[in-house]
Every structure is written in C-alpha cells, then in structure tokens.
Amino acid sequence: MQTATSKLTKKYQATVPEVVRKKLKLNAGDVIAFEIENDTVKLRKARPVDIEFSSALVPTLSEWESQNDEEAYNDL
C-alpha cells in the first residue's frame, strides 16, 4: 500500500498529491467524490451520476439558508 499526505490550509483546502492525481487520472477542473463509511473516507474521481445527484440536491437545501439557521448551527 502506498501513502500520500497533504496539509490543510486555513480554508480547509488541500492539494491532491501528484501520485493520487496520476492514479485517478485527475486534471484541473475535475470533480472529486468522497465516499464516507464510519471512520473511513475514500477519494475518487466523480462520475457523471455523482455530479447530477449533487446538482439536483442543491435546490432542496435552500430552506436552511437563513441567518437564524446559521446562528443556531454555527457551533456544530
């Protein structure tokens, strides 16, 4: 097994290491997906269905975009 690391910035951004980019055939502008199961997270190149699902979900979340919700859940 090979391991690669990356450091988070203050904005919680990270650079995908070159070895990972090559393995997943990632290019600038590609979308990545995170598969989460218990305490394990897998990174992969997003498939078109992943992107469609995410795009379809966004309009349904607008009811939680109020200032009251932001203040109520700010400490979570």
Side-chain angles (χ1 to χ4, degrees), residues 2-39:
Q2 188 174 17
T3 301
T5 63
S6 183
K7 186 175 180 180
L8 290 176
T9 68
K10 291 179 183 179
K11 292 185 177 185
Y12 298 99
Q13 297 171 330
T15 299
V16 178
E18 182 180 11
V19 65
V20 176
R21 292 192 313 264
K22 285 183 176 182
K23 180 71 176 176
L24 297 178
K25 299 178 182 157
L26 293 173
N27 295 300
D30 284 345
V31 178
I32 55 176
F34 299 90
E35 294 180 355
I36 305 165
E37 186 175 334
N38 299 320
D39 63 347

Side-chain angles (χ1 to χ4, degrees), residues 64-75:
W64 291 291
E65 291 182 359
S66 74
Q67 183 61 35
N68 289 339
D69 288 322
E70 190 65 33
E71 290 171 6
Y73 298 107
N74 194 30
D75 292 334

